[in-house]
Amino acid sequence: MRHGVKLNKLSRTASHRQALMSNLACELISHKRITTTLAKAKALRVYVEPLLTRGKNDSTHNRRIVFSYLQDKEAIKELFGVISEKIANRPGGYTRIIKLGKRVGDNAEVALIELVDFNEIYGTSTDKTPAKKTRRAGGAKKKAGADEAKAADTTTTEEKSAE
């Protein structure tokens, strides 16, 4: 049983795992998408999303914290420059994992992990307005408003036909 286990150790020591996650995160930030095994992609998502959240607020403190994880100045520039502009109004969920099947050599599950806002295929919208937050309970009010609008339209057409 895995009571409370939040971290996949990936059969590595702590220092090796830290170096692996740092390198994968730097490559993801610089290339916007990478292909790796499914287990590494899932572990990378947990590692990199808090760093992307830090990247939204450009301050010296946040830069130093992210640098302590990544150890790559170019990745820091990319994160606090280009990426922070794109993810500024996103409340989380910066990465997407797409399963690609099994690898030929060792039959390992392979996945593509990418930054959501940098994909041109999925979810391209022309306007930059944030999505409107609605609740399911609000549907009855909209229907009542639509019925009133239809009734007003029919009365105006009846008046025009009477003239």
Side-chain angles (χ1 to χ4, degrees), residues 123-152:
T124 55
S125 62
T126 56
D127 58 338
K128 295 291 181 183
T129 59
K132 184 179 177 185
K133 294 181 181 178
T134 60
R135 292 182 56 203
R136 193 175 172 139
K141 294 176 186 174
K142 291 180 185 175
K143 287 182 182 177
D147 291 341
E148 292 172 4
K150 287 181 183 178

Side-chain angles (χ1 to χ4, degrees), residues 11-160:
S11 300
R12 287 166 171 79
T13 61
S15 59
H16 188 186
R17 191 170 53 250
Q18 181 184 5
L20 173 72
M21 289 295 117
S22 176
N23 288 331
L24 286 175
C26 290
E27 293 302 311
L28 179 64
I29 288 169
S30 62
H31 295 292
K32 312 300 186 275
R33 68 174 57 176
I34 57 173
T35 304
T36 184
T37 63
L38 183 62
K40 287 179 191 173
K42 288 180 177 180
L44 178 62
R45 177 177 54 192
V46 173
Y47 184 85
V48 79
E49 292 221 357
L51 300 180
L52 293 171
T53 302
R54 288 269 181 190
K56 289 165 61 171
N57 183 11
D58 190 5
S59 66
T60 305
H61 180 63
N62 284 340
R63 282 182 178 262
R64 286 178 176 169
I65 287 175
V66 173
F67 184 76
S68 71
Y69 283 91
L70 298 183
Q71 300 291 320
D72 186 4
K73 288 182 181 178
E74 294 303 318
I76 301 296
K77 288 179 189 174
E78 185 78 13
L79 173 62
F80 284 94
V82 178
I83 294 175
S84 66
E85 293 170 2
K86 284 260 196 169
I87 65 173
N89 58 2
R90 180 175 287 276
Y94 311 109
T95 57
R96 175 186 294 128
I97 295 176
I98 301 170
K99 294 180 183 178
L100 299 177
K102 306 248 182 184
R103 192 160 52 197
V104 175
D106 58 355
N107 205 29
E109 287 270 351
V110 179
L112 175 84
I113 182 168
E114 65 183 359
L115 297 176
V116 172
D117 292 317
F118 288 89
N119 189 331
E120 293 81 25
I121 299 169
Y122 292 123
T124 55
S125 62
T126 56
D127 58 338
K128 295 291 181 183
T129 59
K132 184 179 177 185
K133 294 181 181 178
T134 60
R135 292 182 56 203
R136 193 175 172 139
K141 294 176 186 174
K142 291 180 185 175
K143 287 182 182 177
D147 291 341
E148 292 172 4
K150 287 181 183 178
D153 289 339
T154 57
T155 56
T156 54
T157 55
E158 289 172 3
E159 292 171 0
K160 289 180 183 177

